[in-house]
Amino acid sequence: MSEVTAKPSRRIGLSFADEEAVIADIQRLRKGYVRAGSWSLAQICDHLDKGIQLRMKPGPFEPDTPEQEARKAMRKQILTTGELPDGIAAPDYMQPPADCADNSIDACIARLREFAAFKGPIAPHRLFGRLPEADARRLNLIHCARHLSFLTPTPN
């Protein structure tokens, strides 16, 4: 008889009310986790940190492109459901290095706190363009939940 090992599953439905909730989850995961995806906690934090930095990039900002305008229905669905669809590929500059160090975790936590206090304006999203501040912040929390959902904390 052979043993079947099930692949760990994502934490479907993970959501965060604010940046402090994301930080609490990261700190819980830092104590140990099971990975259901290909990135480690440090790699996820590196990726999230890069995304948050882009949200705080100073203007002036270009007008939305026709492609961004065309994604309004997708944006509305994401904000309504709280879920990012599969298949959105991160550009090369957002990819974490394979040998990402644990200091990426600390940098992400610091950036989340910085973003929580950020007075804006929030830079347009690369896919969705200009967003009202509340929507931009919600989209960031959804992005965090998407990636962190691939890690499940281990019992301590």
Side-chain angles (χ1 to χ4, degrees), residues 19-151:
E19 290 82 5
E20 283 301 319
V22 178
I23 292 167
D25 193 55
I26 290 170
Q27 290 173 331
R28 190 171 33 259
L29 290 165
R30 198 173 209 178
K31 295 175 185 174
Y33 60 86
V34 176
R35 190 186 327 192
S38 58
W39 287 352
S40 68
L41 177 60
Q43 288 173 306
I44 289 170
C45 285
D46 179 83
H47 173 76
L48 295 176
D49 183 23
K50 289 173 181 171
I52 296 167
Q53 287 179 51
L54 290 173
R55 300 289 66 77
M56 296 189 297
K57 182 180 169 186
F61 306 119
E62 297 291 323
D64 287 352
T65 65
E67 294 82 9
Q68 290 168 328
E69 289 287 337
R71 293 187 191 102
K72 281 187 178 182
M74 177 192 245
R75 178 178 78 199
K76 182 179 178 184
Q77 180 182 5
I78 291 167
L79 291 170
T80 300
T81 64
E83 289 284 332
L84 284 172
D86 292 336
I88 298 177
D92 289 345
Y93 62 86
M94 293 286 295
Q95 297 290 332
D99 61 346
C100 210
D102 278 352
N103 64 355
S104 295
I105 300 169
D106 295 323
C108 182
I109 290 170
R111 192 82 59 212
L112 283 159
R113 289 191 172 122
E114 183 182 352
F115 188 61
F118 185 66
K119 300 296 183 206
I122 297 175
H125 189 276
R126 72 177 181 92
L127 295 177
F128 304 114
R130 294 172 185 260
L131 298 164
E133 181 176 345
D135 289 351
R137 290 183 179 281
R138 176 151 165 69
L139 184 60
N140 186 64
L141 294 172
I142 292 167
H143 183 234
C144 291
R146 167 68 181 194
H147 288 289
L148 292 169
S149 74
F150 286 94
L151 305 177

